């Protein structure tokens, strides 16, 4: 189990990313637009740097929804590999069966 503080920090980051998502996308579009002048693109880069660090989507970490484990998380289920195994063996995840060959 992950510490509660780590889970809360991740939730705080998710809220910040959602809050600044539109502004972040607009600034990135200006920066990537080759038709804009260098001054406009440079100003957009400066504005992007002024945003909070945790507003950057790359700072988000995928965690297991049940345990908070940061590694071995499957996006499709939102769970860690150990919990997927436990729930699949119990038959709680539809369509998932144990492999045998």
């Amino acid at each position: 189990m992950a510490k509660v503080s780590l889970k809360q920090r991740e939730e705080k980051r998710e809220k910040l990313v959602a809050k600044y998502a539109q502004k972040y996308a607009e600034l990135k579009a200006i920066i990537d637009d080759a038709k804009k002048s260098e001054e406009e693109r440079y100003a957009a880069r400066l504005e992007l740097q002024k945003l909070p660090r945790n507003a950057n989507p790359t700072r988000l970490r995928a965690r297991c929804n049940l345990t908070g484990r940061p590694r071995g998380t499957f996006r499709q289920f939102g769970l860690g590999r150990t919990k997927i195994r436990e729930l699949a063996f119990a038959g709680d995840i539809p369509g998932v069966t144990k492999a045998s060959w």
Side-chain angles (χ1 to χ4, degrees):
M1 292 290 285
K3 292 167 70 173
V4 175
S5 61
L6 293 178
K7 291 181 187 178
Q8 289 175 341
R9 186 186 307 162
E10 200 63 37
E11 289 172 8
K12 185 178 174 183
R13 282 184 182 149
E14 288 173 3
K15 289 177 186 174
L16 263 177
V17 167
K19 179 180 176 182
Y20 288 101
Q22 184 177 359
K23 184 168 181 124
Y24 189 86
E26 290 170 359
L27 291 172
K28 289 294 280 183
I30 292 171
I31 292 169
D32 294 338
D33 189 5
K35 295 177 184 176
K36 300 278 185 186
S37 69
E38 281 298 317
E39 291 81 18
E40 288 176 312
R41 294 168 69 192
Y42 181 71
R45 277 199 288 283
L46 291 178
E47 282 296 314
L48 190 64
Q49 288 176 357
K50 288 180 184 175
L51 294 180
R53 222 175 235 190
N54 285 332
N56 192 335
T58 58
R59 290 180 67 95
L60 291 177
R61 181 77 172 152
R63 289 188 175 270
C64 175
N65 289 331
L66 298 178
T67 62
R69 179 180 167 83
R71 297 184 179 202
T73 306
F74 287 71
R75 290 182 190 167
Q76 184 178 2
F77 303 107
L79 299 172
R81 59 183 174 78
T82 55
K83 285 296 169 185
I84 287 177
R85 187 170 191 269
E86 289 175 12
L87 294 173
F89 286 165
D92 293 336
I93 303 177
V96 177
T97 57
K98 186 176 187 304
S100 60
W101 59 89

